[in-house]
Amino acid sequence: MKKLIPSYVRVPLLFAVVFAALEYFIDSGDRPAFIKFPMVALFLGVFLFLLIAIEIVIDAVDKVTYHLLTEEQKKQLAEAQTVSFTESKWYQNIVTKLTRSKEIEREEDIMLEHDYDGIKELDNVLPPWWVYLFYGTIIFALVYLVRFHVMNEYDQEQEFKNEVALAELEKSKMPKDAAEEVSYETVVVLTDATSLAKGKEIFTNACAACHKADGGGLVGPNLTDKHWINGGGIKNVFKLISEGSKNNPSMVAWKANLSSKDIQSVASYVLSLQGSNPPGGKPAEGEIWVETAEAAPAATAAVDSTKVEAPAGK
C-alpha cells in the first residue's frame, strides 16, 4: 500500500541522520569516524542492513493486510491511490530475491502438515539478507581472531596507552600557566631520571624515524657527536626543536604539538646522548661546538653558552 514517505526516501534519510550524528559526536580528529574507527563502519553497515530488512518486513505485512481485504475494499483502495513505488515490478523482483518467500497464492506448496487449532505453519527458507549478514559476522570474527589473537596487532592495554598519549598531547596544547612555561632564556639542562625518561619516550615516538632510536642519525644528522649544524647547547637545541630548522624543512617545529616542558625534556635527552657513539652512526656534520657553563642568576636559571667555533648544531 502507498505510504506518505516512500521507502527509497525514508531509508537514505534515516541512514544519513545516524551517519551525521556519529560524525558529530565522535571526535575522530582530521579523519571521518567511520574510517578511523572500524567499529563505526561496522555499525553503519549493520544499521543499513536492518533498515532494509525492516522495510522488507513492512512491505510483507502490507501485502498480507492487503490480501485480507475484501474485493470491495481493494477496489476502494485502488481508486483512492495510484500505484506506489513498492508495487512496481522491479521493486517486487528485488524483494523476492532478498526474501525468497512464496507468494500468498502459492503458499500451499510450502505448507507443513501439522495443524494446531487451525493454525498452519509455512516452511519458508531463511531470507538471504539474514543469511549473508550471518556469514558476515563469521568473516568479521575470523578477521578479528587473526588480527588480535594471531598477529597480536595491539591489545586493550596498548589501546589504552595510545589514548592516554593522545589525551596528553591534547592537554599539552591547552593554555599553560606562565609559571610552568619554559623559554629560550630560561631553559636549563634537566638531569633527573624522570625528565630524561620522558624525553626518551617522546624522542622514540617523534624523532627516531629521522635520527634513529640511538641518535646515530638516519635522514637526520648524528646527535651523539660534538658536531652541530644549527648550534649546540641546551638553548640552541631547545630552539631548534621548538621552531624547526630553516636549513632543513624535514626538521619541523614541534611547539604546536609539545609543551615547552616536554621540549626541554627532549632537548635534555638529546644532549645526554653526547659521546655514546652508537655503532653504525652517520659521519659528523657541521662544526664542533664547545659550551662553557657559568654560574647564572637564580632568577633566570639560565646557562651561559659560548660558541668558540663556527655554528654547527643539528
Side-chain angles (χ1 to χ4, degrees), residues 292-298 302-304:
T292 59
E294 297 178 0
V303 175
D304 182 16

Side-chain angles (χ1 to χ4, degrees), residues 158-171:
Q158 184 61 44
E159 186 176 10
F160 173 76
K161 291 180 179 179
N162 293 341
E163 292 298 326
V164 170
L166 290 174
E168 290 291 339
L169 182 60
E170 291 298 324
K171 183 179 178 181

Side-chain angles (χ1 to χ4, degrees), residues 11-245:
V11 170
L13 182 61
L14 289 174
F15 182 79
V17 170
V18 173
F19 180 86
L22 290 175
E23 290 294 335
Y24 178 79
F25 289 107
I26 297 179
D27 184 10
S28 57
D30 56 349
R31 290 192 298 169
F34 74 96
I35 294 179
K36 187 173 183 179
F37 305 110
M39 292 303 297
V40 174
L42 177 63
F43 170 80
L44 289 173
V46 172
F47 180 71
L48 182 59
F49 263 111
L50 292 177
L51 280 180
I52 296 174
I54 291 172
E55 289 298 328
I56 292 174
V57 171
I58 292 175
D59 181 71
V61 172
D62 285 346
K63 282 185 177 181
V64 173
T65 304
Y66 180 79
H67 282 81
L68 293 176
L69 298 176
T70 63
E71 292 299 327
E72 182 64 25
Q73 290 173 328
K74 291 179 181 179
K75 185 177 179 180
Q76 293 175 358
L77 183 61
E79 292 174 354
Q81 64 181 24
T82 57
V83 177
S84 66
F85 169 80
T86 56
E87 293 173 334
S88 60
K89 186 176 180 180
W90 70 272
Y91 179 81
Q92 296 296 335
N93 291 335
I94 293 177
V95 172
T96 301
K97 290 179 180 179
L98 289 176
T99 60
R100 291 185 183 174
S101 58
K102 293 285 187 180
E103 294 291 338
I104 293 180
E105 293 81 1
R106 300 181 55 191
E107 284 185 347
E108 64 275 4
D109 298 339
I110 56 173
M111 189 82 69
L112 296 178
E113 295 182 359
H114 34 86
D115 186 332
Y116 301 95
D117 295 332
I119 300 175
K120 296 184 178 181
E121 186 178 356
L122 300 179
D123 189 21
N124 271 315
V125 298
L126 289 174
W129 67 266
W130 188 94
V131 175
Y132 297 150
L133 183 60
F134 177 68
Y135 291 157
T137 60
I138 295 176
I139 295 174
F140 174 83
L142 291 175
V143 173
Y144 186 93
L145 177 67
V146 173
R147 181 179 179 184
F148 295 105
H149 295 281
V150 177
M151 300 179 64
N152 294 320
E153 182 169 339
Y154 64 87
D155 54 17
Q156 290 180 332
E157 181 181 2
Q158 184 61 44
E159 186 176 10
F160 173 76
K161 291 180 179 179
N162 293 341
E163 292 298 326
V164 170
L166 290 174
E168 290 291 339
L169 182 60
E170 291 298 324
K171 183 179 178 181
S172 68
K173 298 179 183 179
M174 298 174 63
K176 305 295 190 308
D177 186 352
E180 297 181 358
E181 287 295 308
V182 179
S183 65
Y184 175 81
E185 290 77 16
T186 61
V187 65
V188 294
V189 178
L190 301 175
T191 57
D192 60 285
T194 302
S195 298
L196 291 179
K198 180 66 174 179
K200 181 179 180 180
E201 178 184 356
I202 299 173
F203 181 89
T204 302
N205 294 330
C207 311
C210 292
H211 296 283
K212 294 179 67 173
D214 57 13
L218 193 61
V219 178
N222 189 333
L223 302 177
T224 65
D225 54 46
K226 295 183 179 180
H227 292 71
W228 297 84
I229 300 172
N230 295 291
I234 185 63
K235 291 182 178 294
N236 288 319
V237 176
F238 177 88
K239 181 178 180 181
L240 181 65
I241 297 174
S242 178
E243 301 180 5
S245 172

